Amino acid sequence: MTDLISVNHALLRILSEFKTLPAEKIDISDALLRTLAEDIHSPFDLPLFSNSSVDGFAVCASKDLRAGTRGNFTLPVIGDIPAGVQTTLRLNRGETARIMTGAPLPEGADAVLPVEDTSYPYRDSSAPLPSEVTFYRFPAVGENVRPRGQDVQKGQKILSKGRKLQPQDIGMLATLGLDRIPVIRRPRIALFSSGDELLTPGIPPQPGKIFDANSYSLGLLAQREGAEVIRLGVARDDYQAVLDLFEKAINAEADLILTSAGVSVGAFDYVRQVLEDHGEVKIWRVNMRPGKPLTFGYYQKVPIISLPGNPVSAFVGFLVFVRPVIAKLSGLEPTAPPTLPVMLEHPVLSDGRESYLRAVVQKSPQGFIARLTGHQGSGNLYSLVQANALLIIPAGVKSLPAGEIVQAWLLDNEPLPVLEKFE
Ligand code: AMP
Ligand code: MG
């Protein structure tokens, strides 16, 4: 068919129509999995000040010949430094001060002996300060000291623009004293399903009707990718109903309109008709299975991706086309899901379109092996529920024998089940 374009071509064309959204400033506590919009440099050294890594007694080791030696050494205790204080204490050779973990080293100190290596092994800060303490060994220079700047130097780049922020990154930002940071605004995706047959779950089935699956699976896929989803419900198979929801999407300032169904050649497939009258259809029909009637275009100036109505087609279409678009809008690299080479457990037939087949991938002594789940009809969601991967059969391939290696997209981050135990 002349108007079928390849998956890769369609994806590149679609991606070329999107650019990264602008930045906004948000609280670090809200920044999980958001994309950093600017490089972050450290405003200071870390640690900020040299401090003790143990509860112990600080000394000047560099000026003391006993440094690093064993023996009993009794020293006068001239001060007490709890964590969180600024100390004005100065240590001279032969003196010591009690110091707690994280407390700043007094001037002159360069080593700390842990309390357990002394005659005063009490960690409790309510233990009275002794006037002298016996060391059972003398610490070496630098022992149990976390010097200023050991981890990070002032001005050093800590996190790069484009980073998808993880909890440890946010802990780091807090360590730098930052509370609000610039991140890329979340994409706003207006979502609706279409079709007179669709019912909302929670009521008994009705003759000729089915329950709307796509509003849920697509909405949650989009949410999982970090988008803000504007749920517009279901458009009836009616020109005006579809038009009304497009208008709602415009009013909600959507960055992308995502719809399912109504883009085939059926008499009631109005989504495509509305686009032709009030926008533009740029791509229609892609050489893939499931998911051929994928449509990309514009309603007025807002980009729209219309996925086929069958729930598996919609799901696969989302992973192939919408996920990378959300990534690009969010300032992330539009990468594919994790891919694994797997061996077919049985022969596989395809129809020459680039196919995404539902499969279970398991680890075996021979490596990862794959077997298709259930009937591959694009309306059969259960075979997707049973799958942990999609096998990608390239365009032009109509059959593959058992033992062939194909690429698999892992559907989630669950560990793969082990088929046979082996050491
Ligand atoms: P269409 O693209 O409108 O021809 O729909 C293709 C098939 O997908 C039909 O069998 C529809 O009933 C089904 N379908 C459409 N939308 C949904 C939906 N939101 N949830 C479940 N099935 C749907
Ligand atoms: Mg329909």
Side-chain angles (χ1 to χ4, degrees):
M1 214 166 271
T2 51
D3 59 351
L4 281 188
I5 70 168
S6 76
V7 172
N8 196 43
H9 183 175
L11 177 59
L12 293 178
R13 269 204 58 196
I14 291 173
L15 281 174
S16 73
E17 304 276 336
F18 291 89
K19 59 182 201 310
T20 298
L21 293 170
E24 62 182 359
K25 278 212 161 185
I26 62 166
D27 280 2
I28 55 169
S29 5
D30 298 325
L32 185 63
L33 304 181
R34 299 292 297 270
T35 315
L36 198 56
E38 283 168 26
D39 292 345
I40 300 285
H41 294 87
S42 181
F44 36 64
D45 290 338
L46 282 176
L48 268 162
F49 48 88
S50 297
N51 66 89
S52 176
S53 64
V54 294
D55 295 332
F57 288 87
V59 287
C60 311
S62 54
K63 294 189 198 140
D64 203 310
L65 290 174
R66 298 173 292 183
T69 67
R70 306 216 137 261
N72 284 341
F73 311 107
T74 300
L75 282 76
V77 180
I78 65 156
D80 198 13
I81 312 159
V85 301
Q86 187 186 12
T87 177
T88 52
L89 202 68
R90 221 202 113 74
L91 275 193
N92 294 306
R93 177 159 46 112
E95 295 172 343
T96 188
R98 182 164 70 169
I99 188 166
M100 294 295 148
T101 305
L105 238 60
E107 216 188 313
D110 53 21
V112 180
L113 188 67
V115 287
E116 51 272 33
D117 294 350
T118 74
S119 60
Y120 200 77
Y122 313 110
R123 302 181 164 280
D124 190 348
S125 54
S126 65
L129 193 65
S131 59
E132 55 177 36
V133 64
T134 300
F135 284 21
Y136 300 141
R137 63 183 184 85
F138 207 96
V141 177
E143 206 178 314
N144 299 314
V145 171
R146 299 188 284 214
R148 173 178 182 154
Q150 178 187 54
D151 194 15
V152 162
Q153 313 277 297
K154 179 178 179 178
Q156 191 179 327
K157 193 206 272 187
I158 304 300
L159 293 169
S160 299
K161 174 180 169 172
R163 172 99 166 187
K164 190 172 181 174
L165 293 168
Q166 303 297 325
Q168 62 272 35
D169 301 333
I170 293 167
M172 186 78 221
L173 292 166
T175 301
L176 300 179
L178 301 172
D179 62 342
R180 290 175 72 76
I181 50 159
V183 295
I184 302 300
R185 177 165 74 65
R186 289 169 70 193
R188 291 166 64 78
I189 297 190
L191 174 71
F192 68 87
S193 297
S194 69
D196 277 344
E197 72 277 35
L198 299 180
L199 297 176
T200 299
I203 57 170
Q206 292 173 17
K209 309 276 189 193
I210 60 167
F211 289 105
D212 170 16
N214 297 341
S215 291
Y216 298 87
S217 51
L218 295 176
L220 293 169
L221 278 165
Q223 228 169 285
R224 193 170 72 181
E225 296 307 320
E228 188 187 316
V229 180
I230 304 151
R231 291 163 200 278
L232 299 179
V234 176
R236 297 289 141 218
D237 283 327
D238 168 273
Y239 189 94
Q240 190 59 41
V242 171
L243 194 63
D244 287 349
L245 289 193
F246 276 131
E247 276 304 310
K248 276 195 177 169
I250 297 271
N251 292 335
E253 296 181 359
D255 300 303
L256 171 69
I257 303 173
L258 181 61
T259 73
S260 68
V263 283
S264 317
V265 284
F268 300 99
D269 289 335
Y270 289 109
V271 172
R272 188 176 146 80
Q273 286 183 31
V274 171
L275 285 187
E276 280 174 346
D277 295 347
H278 297 272
E280 127 182 65
V281 174
K282 290 210 164 213
I283 293 174
W284 181 55
R285 307 228 284 187
V286 178
N287 190 27
M288 69 188 287
R289 182 178 73 121
K292 183 170 75 171
L294 174 116
T295 302
F296 172 75
Y298 284 87
Y299 176 74
Q300 298 180 16
K301 295 260 179 299
V302 183
I304 160 160
I305 296 178
S306 282
L307 300 169
N310 277 308
V312 180
S313 312
F315 183 91
V316 171
F318 182 97
L319 290 186
V320 175
F321 298 106
V322 185
R323 185 181 178 275
V325 164
I326 295 177
K328 188 165 182 190
L329 287 170
S330 310
L332 299 168
E333 211 57 57
T335 49
T339 306
L340 193 69
V342 299
M343 190 196 282
L344 295 177
E345 196 180 300
H346 53 74
V348 164
L349 296 178
S350 186
D351 71 349
R353 285 181 280 167
E354 181 166 319
S355 298
Y356 294 78
L357 306 181
R358 285 143 267 170
V360 171
V361 169
Q362 290 179 305
K363 203 171 177 190
S364 81
Q366 288 75 44
F368 290 103
I369 56 167
R371 142 178 76 72
L372 299 188
T373 57
H375 191 278
Q376 297 283 318
S378 55
N380 300 344
L381 205 46
Y382 183 50
S383 55
L384 181 61
V385 168
Q386 289 171 293
N388 63 1
L390 293 174
L391 304 187
I392 306 175
I393 312 298
V397 174
K398 295 203 163 170
S399 74
L400 288 172
E404 194 77 19
I405 305 291
V406 298
Q407 297 299 318
W409 267 5
L410 301 184
L411 284 178
D412 47 41
N413 296 324
E414 295 296 313
L416 293 171
V418 175
L419 185 61
E420 284 174 44
K421 293 257 178 274
F422 58 97
E423 293 301 306

